[in-house]
Amino acid sequence: MIKSMTGYGKAELNIESREYQVEIKSVNHRYADINVRMPRTLIGLEEIIKKQINEKIKRGKIDVFITFENNSQEGKIVNINQELANIYIEELKKLANKEKILSDIQVIDIARLPDVLNIKIDDNDNKIKNELTKVLEEAINKIYEMKEIEGEKIAEDLTKRIIKIEEKIKEISKKSSRLIEDYVVKLEKRIKEILKTEEVDETRLAQEVVIYADKCSIEEEITRLSSHIFQFKNIINNSEKETIGKKLDFLIQEMNRETNTIGSKANNLEITDAVIDIKTELEDIREQVQNIE
């Protein structure tokens, strides 16, 4: 099934005075680019979070926003920066002596100073890790579901457009088969007009026709274009869980190449008009493919 690269998922969990909220947003990107914004207390779990997301989302610019309020004692580790506290104390004593003021320094006063007292989450605390993993999985499932729904709509649009292209190719193939016949008639008529005679050198005429046929033949291009369309439809209908955006983008480039060649070879206004129609559809398909994971 085709999956869009754009999506949004949100999940929350309140348990034992601990509150979790996870939001995931995804937009188009060439590769998987996961950015996680979360409290410093959870920073040790960042790689676990990225790995869990990457297991289901393979491509896109993914922004993850995590909020966490821990009003329980679970998993909390209190660290005192003793070295920094000593520096604060020494500097405060120097200030007190210089200004001749009391140096009545209390422990609680030192604890309030920046970076002396730090509270962080124990990375080895499985309860918080498991709870965060659970709410994260719920958010991932929601964004994944949205990406699949959007992907279905894209697949429907791509199928309609590729069928239109297929029909145009059939028209071109029919018209190209008459190019040689029309050329022979026009060439013979032109020769008679120039030479003012009803007699035409059949050998010379045959040589010109062979040269023209070789020059304007588009059978190979039509065959390759049809093959690309078959692959394109097969990928859309049998994508399963693999990422297909890059494959489809490559096929669109190849279809454009073959279409351009047909346009440059076929000296026929109707074929040129059909080529323009094909290129218009291919451009619309290319824009849609940019949004496929």
Side-chain angles (χ1 to χ4, degrees):
M1 179 182 289
I2 284 182
K3 295 183 291 296
S4 169
M5 270 195 282
T6 59
Y8 174 80
K10 180 180 179 181
E12 297 177 345
L13 176 65
N14 296 323
I15 184 171
E16 296 176 0
S17 299
R18 292 182 295 281
E19 299 178 7
Y20 304 82
Q21 180 175 287
V22 177
E23 289 184 84
I24 306 177
K25 298 178 182 179
S26 177
V27 295
N28 299 0
H29 199 270
R30 193 172 181 182
Y31 306 105
D33 180 18
I34 304 175
N35 300 294
V36 183
R37 297 181 186 178
M38 58 185 177
R40 291 180 61 186
T41 52
L42 296 175
I43 201 70
L45 302 175
E46 182 174 0
E47 288 306 313
I48 294 174
I49 292 168
K50 287 184 176 181
K51 183 179 179 181
Q52 187 175 347
I53 293 171
N54 201 229
E55 285 176 357
K56 272 203 169 182
I57 304 175
K58 303 298 182 182
R59 196 166 166 235
K61 187 180 186 303
I62 304 152
D63 291 313
V64 185
F65 305 91
I66 298 175
T67 59
F68 175 57
E69 291 291 335
N70 188 5
N71 296 315
S72 70
Q73 300 302 312
E74 182 68 39
K76 288 183 177 179
I77 298 178
V78 178
N79 285 329
I80 298 176
N81 191 330
Q82 187 70 51
E83 185 176 347
L84 182 61
N86 290 336
I87 293 173
Y88 277 131
I89 292 169
E90 291 300 319
E91 292 301 318
L92 289 172
K93 285 181 177 179
K94 288 179 185 178
L95 179 63
N97 290 333
K98 182 179 179 181
E99 301 298 331
K100 294 181 171 50
I101 58 177
L102 292 174
S103 58
D104 187 16
I105 304 171
Q106 302 294 321
V107 172
I108 191 66
D109 297 325
I110 300 300
R112 291 195 183 105
L113 294 172
D115 299 324
V116 172
L117 191 65
N118 293 302
I119 301 175
K120 70 173 186 175
I121 298 299
D122 184 0
D123 293 343
N124 296 316
D125 189 285
N126 288 326
K127 180 174 280 192
I128 288 178
K129 186 191 300 183
N130 292 339
E131 289 170 355
L132 179 59
T133 298
K134 179 181 178 181
V135 70
L136 179 62
E137 186 66 24
E138 185 181 345
I140 293 172
N141 288 337
K142 287 182 178 179
I143 188 174
Y144 193 85
E145 183 180 348
M146 181 179 286
K147 284 155 67 72
E148 284 190 327
I149 292 171
E150 184 67 23
E152 286 180 9
K153 295 178 182 177
I154 294 174
E156 289 175 6
D157 183 68
L158 292 180
T159 301
K160 289 178 183 178
R161 294 184 185 281
I162 208 71
I163 288 174
K164 287 181 182 178
I165 291 175
E166 205 167 20
E167 290 171 352
K168 288 294 178 181
I169 292 171
K170 290 176 182 177
E171 291 178 18
I172 290 174
S173 183
K174 289 179 181 178
K175 289 181 174 65
S176 67
S177 64
R178 299 197 304 268
L179 286 178
I180 306 301
E181 296 172 8
D182 294 342
Y183 179 74
V184 171
V185 173
K186 290 178 181 178
L187 182 60
E188 192 170 2
K189 182 179 178 181
R190 185 63 177 156
I191 290 172
K192 288 177 181 180
E193 288 175 353
I194 294 173
L195 299 180
K196 300 184 185 307
T197 178
E198 291 297 319
E199 295 183 5
V200 177
D201 185 343
E202 296 295 334
T203 303
R204 180 59 180 167
L205 181 63
Q207 289 176 346
E208 291 296 328
V209 171
V210 170
I211 293 171
Y212 177 79
D214 184 61
K215 185 178 179 180
C216 72
S217 175
I218 55 175
E219 290 304 314
E220 288 185 15
E221 287 75 14
I222 289 176
T223 299
R224 284 195 291 268
L225 197 47
S226 298
S227 174
H228 295 327
I229 288 173
F230 174 79
Q231 293 179 65
F232 191 94
K233 291 165 72 175
N234 189 54
I235 290 173
I236 289 176
N237 296 325
N238 302 285
S239 59
E240 296 298 332
K241 294 184 178 181
E242 66 175 328
T243 54
I244 62 173
K246 291 181 180 179
K247 290 182 180 180
L248 295 179
D249 189 49
F250 171 76
L251 285 173
I252 290 300
Q253 292 179 43
E254 293 302 304
M255 286 188 222
N256 253 317
R257 196 195 316 277
E258 301 300 343
T259 304
N260 287 334
T261 305
I262 290 172
S264 63
K265 276 187 173 185
N267 187 20
N268 178 277
L269 184 58
E270 291 180 326
I271 291 179
T272 300
D273 288 341
V275 164
I276 292 171
D277 290 339
I278 290 174
K279 287 182 67 64
T280 300
E281 292 296 339
L282 283 175
E283 179 57 27
D284 289 337
I285 290 174
R286 188 192 66 81
E287 291 179 3
Q288 286 280 41
V289 166
Q290 301 306 309
N291 194 37
I292 295 176
E293 185 177 318

